[in-house]
Amino acid sequence: MSDVRHVLVLPDRDAAQEAAEALGEQFALDEEPQLVRDALAGEDDAEDAQWLLVLRDENGRLDARELDEFVREWDGWREES
């Protein structure tokens, strides 16, 4: 087993929560994605935060291209790790 993770970056909390729900419906996940607030450097305002969905993929079952297409529906992107 390897420690493979995918990080999806979303523009706001609502988009991240919607995407997290849809992830479970579209992809067979072993566990719920972790939702993390990522404040931009020097900003304290929640409006200036991106939201991350962190997906563990120990078995390498998730296709990066499919995740790229999926997250674009919410104006987000997948970070390369």
Side-chain angles (χ1 to χ4, degrees), residues 24-79:
E25 295 170 9
Q26 187 166 341
F27 300 93
L29 301 178
D30 293 332
E31 61 185 59
E32 293 289 318
Q34 180 183 7
L35 182 64
V36 179
R37 180 179 178 266
D38 183 35
L40 300 176
E43 298 294 335
D44 292 328
D45 188 357
E47 295 296 320
D48 295 321
Q50 296 172 330
W51 288 81
L52 310 177
L53 288 177
V54 181
L55 310 170
R56 285 182 27 158
D57 185 22
E58 293 176 352
N59 298 319
R61 295 183 306 130
L62 298 173
D63 182 86
R65 286 176 290 206
E66 287 181 27
L67 289 172
D68 287 339
E69 290 177 26
F70 173 84
V71 75
R72 277 195 288 263
E73 293 179 32
W74 285 272
D75 296 324
W77 65 92
R78 184 183 56 85
E79 284 288 317

